[in-house]
Amino acid sequence: MKKSSAVKTISLIALPLLVFIFFYSFIIYPRVKFYEPVTIRIISHGKDITDIASPFAITPFNRNIPFYLKVQDNHRVQFLDYSFVKEIRVALPDSLLSREFELVMTIGPKVLAISNVDFRAYFKPLEEKGENQTTYTLASPAQQKSYFKTLFSILLWPVFSSFLKANALALIISLSIIIFGLYNRKAILFDFNNTQNYIALLFKFLLLCMFNVFAWLLYKEFSLLKNYGLRYIAGFDALLFYITLFLIIIILVRLILKGFSVKRKKIQNLYLFLLTLFLCISTADVLLRTLKYNANYYELNFGYYGPSPYDNSNTHAIFVYDSNTEIFYKKKEFSHCRKTNRLGLCDKDYNMRKNDSVFRVMAFGDSFTEGVGVTGDRTWVKQLENKLNTVDKKVEVINAGISGSDPFFGFYLLKNKLLPYKPDMVLLAVNPSDVIDIMVRGGFERFRADNSVVYNKAPWWEPIYAYSYLFRLIMNDGLGYDYNLMSKSENIKKKEQALTDLINVTRSFQKLAQQKGFLFYVIIHPDLTSVYKRMYINLESYMAELNTFKINYIDILPRFLEVTRNENLIGTLFWPIDKHYTEKGQALMADEIFRSVEKQIK
C-alpha cells in the first residue's frame, strides 16, 4: 500500500474518532453523573410494592427517560438500561413516607438498601410536587466519575447487547469487507489511489452502518409488538414505519423495473419522486401528530397509542385489579395513589357477614365510579357514603367501580364474587362510553366457560391506524370511520345491538335483585361530550326501555346542565384533557344520588 493510501486510510478512521472524542470529552462527559445500569425495588412489611414508584432519569440533554418494570432474579424491579444520565429522580406517594419500607437500589454492582428512616439522607425533595406525591432526586451518592469507565459503559447497556445480537451477521460482513479492502489493493473497489473509489468505499461503509442501525431498530420494534402489541407505539415508531414502507416500495420498484428497458434518467426521476413523496407524507404525519389531530385518550395523556380497544389479552371474566396492591395514576392534570383490598377493588376490606343494623350499598361502574381524577376518599361513592351516614342507619357503600369495566363485567362480578357480601342496594352507573365498550366487546357472548374473555375482532388495518396519523385523517375525516374503527353503517348496526345488550344486562341485574331481595337503581351520568351537546348521544332509547321495564333510574345530566349554563363552568366539573370528573363533578353526582336514595334507606 502506498504512503498516500495509508494516510487516507488513517484519516478515514481517525477523523470521525477525533470528532467523537472531542464531543464526548467536552459536551457529554461533564454532564454525566451516573453511567451504570440502575434498578429500584421497594419492599414494605415483606411485600413487594415496587410499582407504586415512578422513577425516571434526566439525560445530559435534559430528556426524561422512564424506568420500566421487569422481573430480575425472581423479583420485580424498576430498571433503567440507559445509564448516561446526570440525575436520577423518583416520584413517591406521600403516604409511603409515613410507614415502614425499604428501597433497594443498585447502580452497577453497588447496592444501596435505604430504609424509610434514612430515605431523606439519600434523596432530596424537589419543588415538583403532584397531588399526594413528591418527586425526589438522588443526592447520595452524588455521582460516579471515571472518564474511561463512563466511555466504555455503553458496553454494559442491555440495549447495546440486543444491538449486537440483532446485527452480529451484518457487523461481521461489514468488518470483513473493510479488512478485505485495506489489504487487497488489487481489488478495483478498494483502489485507494483512485479518489473516486476511496469515496465509494466510505459511502458503502456508511450505508452498512446505517443498515446495521436500521436492522437493530426493526428488531427492537418487532420485539415491542410481540410483547406489548400496539400499546407503546409513539412518534419514533411511526417514523420507523414510514422508512420501512419507503424501503419496501423502493425494493419492489427495482424488482419491477428489472423486467423492463427503462432509461436511467427516468429511473432516477422516479426514485426522486418517491423520495419527495416520502418526505411530504412523513412531514404531514409529524405535523398531525404534533397537533394531536385524531389523537386518542392515551396519546393525549401519555404520549403513546395505548392498548387496542379490541385487545382482550390479560382480561378475565372477574374484572378487578390485583388484590392488596397500590395503583398510581400519574397524568398531565393530576396524580394520585389508591390501594386495593383483598377483592381487588379500590376500597377498604369489608366483612362478608354484616351486622343487621348496617345498610350495605354496592356501586358498579367504570373509571368514573372508581374515581379516576380524584383521591379515593373524594369519589362520588365515598361522598355518598358520608352523606348517607348522616341518617339514622349505619351505611356502607362499597366501590366496585373498575377503570375499563362495563355493565357486563359488573354483573359477572356481582353474581360470581360479591353476592356473599349481601348488598341491600346495588347502584349500576351507566354513561355513553358503556355503549361503545359493548359495541367493541360484545355482550354475554364474550364470556367463555374457562373464565376467559373474547372481544370482537379488530379490523386488519388497525396497526396502520396506530402508526400513521395521515392514515387516520383518511379513515376518520375522509371515509367517516369513528375512533373505534367502525364505518358509519357498521356503527349504526352495532349501536342498535349494543343498546339491546345493555337493556338485557340491566334486566339481568333487575331479576337478580328480585331473587336476592336487594334494591336496584341505574345511575345514568354524563360524559364531557353529553354536557357540551346538552344531551345524551347513545342513551335516550335505553332510558325509554328502563321506563318500559319499570327499572328505577336516576338521571344526573339535568343537574350537570343546570350547573353549567355558562359553558366556562364545564371545566370545573371535568378535567379538560383527561375528561374524567373533578372533585366538584364527583360531589355533584353524589348529591343527586343522595336525594333519590335517602328515603329508601331510611
Side-chain angles (χ1 to χ4, degrees):
M1 186 181 290
K2 293 182 180 180
K3 187 175 180 180
S4 59
S5 298
V7 171
K8 290 179 179 180
T9 303
I10 293 170
S11 64
L12 173 66
I13 299 170
L15 186 60
L17 188 61
L18 288 172
V19 171
F20 170 76
I21 291 173
F22 176 85
F23 183 75
Y24 169 76
S25 302
F26 296 101
I27 298 177
I28 295 180
Y29 179 68
R31 304 181 186 187
V32 173
K33 293 185 178 179
F34 302 98
Y35 58 82
E36 292 180 293
V38 180
T39 68
I40 289 177
R41 183 172 177 242
I42 303 177
I43 305 105
S44 178
H45 298 289
K47 185 181 176 184
D48 188 328
I49 57 170
T50 300
D51 53 354
I52 73 167
S54 296
F56 59 98
I58 309 296
T59 72
F61 302 102
N62 296 320
R63 188 164 64 96
N64 285 10
I65 304 289
F67 285 56
Y68 292 95
L69 271 173
K70 77 168 186 176
V71 176
Q72 180 176 290
D73 298 328
N74 296 321
H75 296 298
R76 291 192 311 160
V77 297
Q78 298 264 20
F79 78 102
L80 180 73
D81 58 4
Y82 179 93
S83 294
F84 254 31
V85 298
K86 71 174 184 179
E87 193 173 353
I88 296 171
R89 296 180 181 180
V90 58
L92 295 174
D94 294 335
S95 60
L96 181 65
L97 275 295
S98 62
R99 69 190 206 220
E100 186 179 330
F101 73 89
E102 183 179 54
L103 186 149
V104 180
M105 183 176 191
T106 67
I107 306 176
K110 186 172 184 177
V111 180
L112 301 172
I114 306 169
S115 69
N116 56 305
V117 177
D118 300 326
F119 180 78
R120 291 184 183 274
Y122 290 88
F123 286 88
K124 300 299 180 186
L126 300 173
E127 292 184 3
E128 181 184 331
K129 185 174 176 65
E131 184 182 352
N132 299 314
Q133 66 144 2
T134 304
T135 300
Y136 301 86
T137 183
L138 181 65
S140 178
Q143 63 182 11
Q144 300 173 301
K145 273 297 177 183
S146 171
Y147 183 89
F148 290 105
K149 285 184 179 180
T150 302
L151 176 62
F152 293 111
S153 68
I154 190 173
L155 300 175
L156 300 173
W157 297 357
V159 71
F160 187 81
S161 174
S162 64
F163 174 81
L164 289 178
K165 290 177 183 177
N167 294 277
L169 181 61
L171 286 170
I172 291 171
I173 294 172
S174 301
L175 290 172
S176 299
I177 290 175
I178 292 169
I179 293 169
F180 178 77
L182 292 176
Y183 289 98
N184 187 2
R185 288 182 296 156
K186 294 181 180 178
I188 297 174
L189 179 61
F190 302 103
D191 182 5
F192 288 97
N193 294 315
N194 188 321
T195 304
Q196 191 174 16
N197 287 332
Y198 173 79
I199 295 172
L201 171 64
L202 178 61
F203 179 71
K204 288 180 182 293
F205 174 69
L206 292 174
L207 280 179
L208 282 168
C209 292
M210 290 173 63
F211 169 78
N212 291 343
V213 172
F214 181 71
W216 172 71
L217 289 173
L218 279 183
Y219 168 79
K220 295 291 289 183
E221 188 70 16
F222 281 115
S223 298
L224 195 70
L225 290 172
K226 181 181 177 182
N227 295 326
Y228 301 103
L230 305 175
R231 180 184 296 266
Y232 292 114
I233 291 174
F236 181 78
D237 306 280
L239 181 61
L240 188 63
F241 166 78
Y242 278 116
I243 293 173
T244 305
L245 186 63
F246 172 71
L247 291 176
I248 290 172
I249 291 172
I250 290 293
I251 291 169
L252 289 175
V253 167
R254 290 199 66 171
L255 290 174
I256 293 170
L257 290 177
K258 277 189 176 182
F260 299 90
S261 178
V262 184
K263 290 183 178 180
R264 186 173 182 178
K265 184 68 174 175
K266 288 185 177 181
I267 294 175
Q268 289 176 344
N269 289 339
L270 178 60
Y271 287 154
L272 183 61
F273 167 76
L274 290 174
L275 178 61
T276 305
L277 185 64
F278 161 73
L279 293 174
C280 290
I281 290 174
S282 55
T283 302
D285 196 270
V286 168
L287 179 62
L288 291 170
R289 188 173 288 273
T290 303
L291 296 173
K292 298 188 181 299
Y293 191 78
N294 285 327
N296 65 22
Y297 174 82
Y298 287 90
E299 287 166 328
L300 290 172
N301 283 279
F302 304 108
Y304 53 78
Y305 184 72
S308 165
Y310 296 88
D311 183 8
N312 57 267
S313 59
N314 301 317
T315 302
H316 304 284
I318 302 294
F319 195 92
V320 293
Y321 294 113
D322 291 337
S323 60
N324 299 314
T325 189
E326 290 188 290
I327 301 168
F328 193 71
Y329 288 99
K330 186 175 183 181
K331 300 190 179 182
K332 292 181 179 179
E333 297 164 305
F334 58 83
S335 61
H336 55 257
C337 176
R338 56 169 54 101
K339 298 178 183 179
T340 63
N341 59 21
R342 63 174 177 264
L343 296 171
L345 305 177
C346 294
D347 208 332
K348 66 181 183 181
D349 283 313
Y350 293 88
N351 291 323
M352 190 174 291
R353 292 183 180 180
K354 68 180 181 69
N355 193 298
D356 291 339
S357 63
V358 174
F359 191 92
R360 181 168 283 173
V361 182
M362 286 185 183
F364 293 85
D366 57 13
S367 51
F368 285 94
T369 299
E370 180 193 319
V372 172
V374 298
T375 54
D377 60 334
R378 303 311 297 163
T379 65
W380 70 260
V381 176
K382 290 303 156 185
Q383 292 192 59
L384 175 64
E385 182 179 68
N386 293 336
K387 290 176 179 294
L388 290 173
N389 273 302
T390 60
V391 300
D392 296 333
K393 282 193 174 185
K394 165 69 177 173
V395 181
E396 295 176 344
V397 185
I398 300 176
N399 192 339
I402 299 290
S403 183
S405 185
D406 62 42
F408 284 93
F409 282 125
F411 179 76
Y412 202 95
L413 177 62
L414 172 62
K415 185 178 180 181
N416 294 281
K417 192 167 186 176
L418 298 184
L419 274 181
Y421 286 79
K422 294 183 171 32
D424 298 295
M425 177 184 287
V426 167
L427 306 177
L428 173 64
V430 176
N431 65 75
S433 70
D434 289 309
V435 178
I436 296 170
D437 288 338
I438 297 168
M439 289 167 65
V440 169
R441 300 167 177 175
F444 281 117
E445 71 275 8
R446 77 178 71 162
F447 300 108
R448 297 295 186 263
D450 60 354
N451 284 331
S452 63
V453 175
V454 177
Y455 294 164
N456 294 325
K457 287 186 177 181
W460 64 267
W461 42 264
E462 187 187 11
I464 305 174
Y465 187 91
Y467 277 104
S468 172
Y469 270 55
L470 194 61
F471 185 76
R472 295 186 201 186
L473 181 70
I474 296 169
M475 300 304 291
N476 294 140
D477 297 76
L479 301 179
Y481 280 77
D482 61 19
Y483 290 107
N484 295 296
L485 318 183
M486 298 178 190
S487 65
K488 290 180 180 178
S489 59
E490 188 180 14
N491 182 286
I492 293 170
K493 182 180 177 180
K494 287 198 172 184
K495 187 181 293 182
E496 289 177 356
Q497 182 59 51
L499 288 168
T500 300
D501 290 338
L502 181 57
I503 196 63
N504 286 341
V505 73
T506 308
R507 291 192 67 193
S508 296
F509 270 101
Q510 182 190 38
K511 291 174 183 176
L512 192 62
Q514 292 167 352
Q515 292 170 9
K516 301 298 180 179
F518 58 79
L519 299 170
F520 174 59
Y521 281 85
V522 177
I523 313 298
I524 303 177
H525 62 102
D527 56 8
L528 183 59
T529 302
S530 303
V531 176
Y532 271 119
K533 292 185 177 293
R534 310 196 72 76
M535 62 177 289
Y536 290 117
I537 304 302
N538 299 326
L539 296 175
E540 297 298 337
S541 62
Y542 173 66
M543 293 165 69
E545 290 291 307
L546 292 178
N547 287 321
T548 300
F549 293 105
K550 298 180 180 179
I551 300 173
N552 296 320
Y553 72 90
I554 304 166
D555 183 8
I556 310 296
L557 179 60
R559 181 70 176 135
F560 269 69
L561 297 184
E562 182 183 336
V563 172
T564 58
R565 286 172 183 163
N566 180 350
E567 278 198 3
N568 293 329
L569 296 176
I570 295 177
T572 65
L573 303 180
F574 293 88
W575 293 106
I577 298 175
D578 178 77
K579 297 182 173 59
H580 282 99
Y581 295 153
T582 62
E583 188 174 318
K584 287 185 178 179
Q586 294 277 347
L588 195 63
M589 187 167 172
D591 286 341
E592 198 64 21
I593 297 171
F594 174 72
R595 291 178 187 178
S596 300
V597 302
E598 179 188 11
K599 291 180 181 178
Q600 292 287 347
I601 292 176
K602 280 185 178 181

